[in-house]
Amino acid sequence: MIAMEECMAIVPRPALLRAEDCAHIEIADAVREGDDYSRGWRNDRDGWAATVSVRLDKAIAVAQIEYVLTEQGGNPEGVRFKTGIDHTDQHFGGVRLWWLCPNIECQRRCRTLYAWGRILPLCRGCLRLRYRSQDMRPWQRIQRRADAITRQMGVGPYALEDWPPKPAGMHWSTYEALMDEWAELRRRERDTQYADMAALAAQLQRKARSV
């Protein structure tokens, strides 16, 4: 098992780094693809590219992970290490597999390992990663779900003036449920925005009185 000092970054984690920015290794993909599993990522802004390959040995509950980093103008640097695999039984039969975090001081179960440049694959807790949605205001999360529905209907965010016709292949019950959900989300989005603006205005008034 790779030790913590070998697995953490040579450079500090960027403060605004989020889980979605990272290279991620999903155990579900590794199980499905077997020894053919490999992924690659490029980060042109920060000047690095990385590849990862995984070999699972479910008989002894171990995975071998190879992570290769190429920084701009440099040669590929690779590290190969082993990490454990755990499983939980499912209610209707079968098992669900989990990574065990490669950090020997953690070892928590997770479905995804995250890497970023010289930050080698670890669980989200060890890297203190947040999701972008955790930085959103409540109305922004509602807006994101409403926009996902419009994309499902084949149009872009805020492109709806009249509700579009039912896409081919979509059941009428699904179409009507999406239409009702979208309308309710837009209502909640407006109400939440107004409440947010009222709270901000009250906060500014309190600050002005205290000056």
Side-chain angles (χ1 to χ4, degrees):
M1 193 72 66
I2 194 165
M4 176 61 137
E5 58 270 17
E6 298 173 81
C7 216
M8 292 303 287
I10 295 175
V11 293
R13 178 183 68 83
L16 296 179
L17 186 68
R18 296 295 178 259
E20 293 88 347
D21 301 323
C22 296
H24 49 277
I25 309 169
E26 306 277 356
I27 194 167
D29 294 339
V31 170
R32 182 172 58 252
E33 299 175 28
D35 291 343
D36 293 330
Y37 177 90
S38 65
R39 292 290 186 275
W41 301 270
R42 291 186 62 86
N43 186 318
D44 293 327
R45 184 188 64 185
D46 297 296
W48 60 265
T51 60
V52 66
S53 58
V54 177
R55 296 180 68 90
L56 296 178
D57 191 335
K58 289 182 278 189
I60 57 174
V62 166
Q64 180 172 279
I65 298 176
E66 183 172 5
Y67 180 77
V68 178
L69 172 70
T70 305
E71 294 181 303
Q72 192 169 20
N75 295 320
E77 300 177 73
V79 61
R80 182 180 298 161
F81 59 93
K82 292 181 179 179
T83 191
I85 304 170
D86 199 3
H87 74 274
T88 51
D89 295 325
Q90 301 297 284
H91 291 300
F92 298 103
V95 297
R96 170 171 289 186
L97 296 181
W98 305 83
W99 301 123
L100 294 180
C101 178
N103 174 12
I104 57 175
E105 298 178 9
C106 174
Q107 294 279 282
R108 85 176 57 177
R109 291 188 307 198
C110 56
R111 297 281 289 172
T112 306
L113 297 175
Y114 297 90
W116 191 87
R118 288 188 173 272
I119 302 176
L120 304 184
L122 292 173
C123 74
R124 192 168 66 92
C126 282
L127 295 179
R128 304 183 303 283
L129 290 173
R130 293 167 58 88
Y131 294 115
R132 287 200 189 102
S133 61
Q134 293 176 285
D135 299 325
M136 291 180 175
R137 308 290 296 177
W139 65 267
Q140 290 175 312
R141 288 194 286 271
I142 296 170
Q143 181 188 84
R144 188 174 69 163
R145 171 57 188 155
D147 290 345
I149 292 176
T150 64
R151 285 192 294 271
Q152 192 173 348
M153 301 301 297
V155 294
Y158 294 106
L160 291 183
E161 294 181 1
D162 298 315
W163 190 253
K166 181 179 75 67
M170 180 179 286
H171 290 293
W172 276 105
S173 58
T174 302
Y175 173 73
E176 291 168 354
L178 287 174
M179 182 168 55
D180 291 343
E181 183 183 0
W182 182 86
E184 173 63 16
L185 286 168
R186 286 306 188 204
R187 183 193 66 76
R188 287 173 51 203
E189 179 189 344
R190 287 192 298 270
D191 291 348
T192 309
Q193 277 184 314
Y194 293 150
D196 213 16
M197 292 169 61
L200 178 59
Q203 183 181 5
L204 292 174
Q205 287 178 351
R206 289 193 297 271
K207 285 185 177 180
R209 286 195 295 268
S210 65
V211 174

